């Protein structure tokens, strides 16, 4: 059955995509934090240390609000992405557990089947042996019955002969 490997492959692809999304958002959060620190460094400074232009405090404040808003939204997206990634990982783990149980069940079934097949073979051989023994016993019985019949006939013949001899003896006496 290919359904479990296909599902594993799908989940692994989804997990890779989720990990990529988390990494992208983590980088974005880091960049926004860096931008925020740069803007905070400009607060109260009249001239930008990088470009030597005059810094308008209102502009810095507006930029900080924008960065803070973007940072909050991105952090929320990051948390959502981590949660989604964890759900995919949990589904993958549950699927792997199911796969392990299926493998164990197949192994158990195969082992049980092998044991039962061995037992069937063993019983078949025992039946064959007992049928051979039965044939021998039936043959021995037939032989014994024939010998008994022969002996009974001999006894009857001897009894008849004894009776005849007894008659002859009486006639002589």
């Amino acid at each position: 059955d290919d359904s479990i490997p296909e599902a594993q492959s799908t989940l692994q692809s989804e997990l890779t995509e989720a990990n990529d999304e988390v990494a992208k958002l983590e980088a974005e959060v880091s960049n926004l934090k860096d931008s925020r620190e740069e803007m905070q460094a400009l607060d109260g400074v009249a001239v930008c240390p990088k470009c030597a232009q005059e810094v308008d405090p209102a502009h810095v404040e507006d930029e900080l609000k924008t960065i803070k808003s973007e940072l909050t939204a991105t952090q929320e997206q990051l948390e959502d992405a981590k949660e989604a990634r964890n759900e995919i990982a949990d589904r993958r783990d549950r699927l792997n557990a199911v796969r392990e149980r299926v493998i164990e069940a197949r192994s158990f079934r195969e082992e049980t089947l092998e044991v039962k097949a061995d037992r069937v073979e063993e019983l078949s051989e025992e039946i064959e042996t007992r049928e051979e023994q039965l044939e021998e016993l039936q043959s021995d019985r037939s032989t014994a019955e024939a010998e008994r019949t022969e002996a009974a006939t001999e006894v009857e013949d001897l009894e008849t002969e004894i009776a005849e001899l007894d008659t002859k003896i009486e006639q002589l006496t």
Side-chain angles (χ1 to χ4, degrees):
D1 190 57
D2 293 333
S3 61
I4 290 177
E6 286 174 9
Q8 282 179 313
S9 178
T10 300
L11 283 173
Q12 191 56 49
S13 294
E14 288 176 16
L15 189 58
T16 299
E17 288 175 18
N19 281 329
D20 290 347
E21 180 67 13
V22 166
K24 181 188 101 181
L25 290 169
E26 285 174 340
E28 203 171 315
V29 165
S30 178
N31 289 338
L32 285 168
K33 285 180 179 179
D34 289 346
S35 293
R36 180 182 63 192
E37 288 175 17
E38 287 175 7
M39 280 295 149
Q40 286 172 339
L42 292 178
D43 195 21
V45 175
V47 178
C48 175
K50 288 185 181 179
C51 64
Q53 290 183 4
E54 284 189 31
V55 176
D56 178 12
H59 176 70
V60 170
E61 189 175 317
D62 287 345
E63 285 297 315
L64 280 172
K65 283 181 185 177
T66 302
I67 291 171
K68 181 179 178 186
S69 174
E70 288 178 17
L71 182 58
T72 300
T74 305
Q75 286 173 327
E76 288 173 5
Q77 288 175 342
L78 176 59
E79 288 308 310
D80 291 346
K82 284 180 178 179
E83 193 174 304
R85 177 190 62 191
N86 292 343
E87 287 175 12
I88 293 168
D90 288 346
R91 286 185 8 229
R92 180 202 56 200
D93 294 345
R94 286 192 306 270
L95 181 63
N96 286 340
V98 167
R99 180 180 173 272
E100 287 302 315
R101 287 194 303 270
V102 167
I103 289 170
E104 288 172 8
R106 280 184 182 162
S107 294
F108 176 76
R109 183 189 68 199
E110 289 170 3
E111 289 168 6
T112 302
L113 183 61
E114 187 176 324
V115 166
K116 297 293 182 185
D118 290 346
R119 182 68 177 138
V120 166
E121 186 177 331
E122 182 182 304
L123 290 173
S124 295
E125 290 172 3
E126 187 174 331
I127 288 170
E128 189 177 314
T129 300
R130 291 194 179 206
E131 284 175 344
E132 289 172 1
Q133 290 173 343
L134 178 61
E135 286 177 20
E136 281 182 37
L137 289 173
Q138 287 173 335
S139 175
D140 290 350
R141 179 179 176 195
S142 294
T143 302
E145 285 177 355
E147 288 175 2
R148 184 185 74 176
T149 301
E150 188 179 312
T153 302
E154 284 180 28
V155 167
E156 283 178 22
D157 289 347
L158 288 172
E159 285 176 349
T160 302
E161 193 177 318
I162 289 172
E164 287 174 3
L165 288 174
D166 281 344
T167 304
K168 284 184 186 179
I169 292 174
E170 275 184 30
Q171 289 172 355
L172 290 175
T173 50

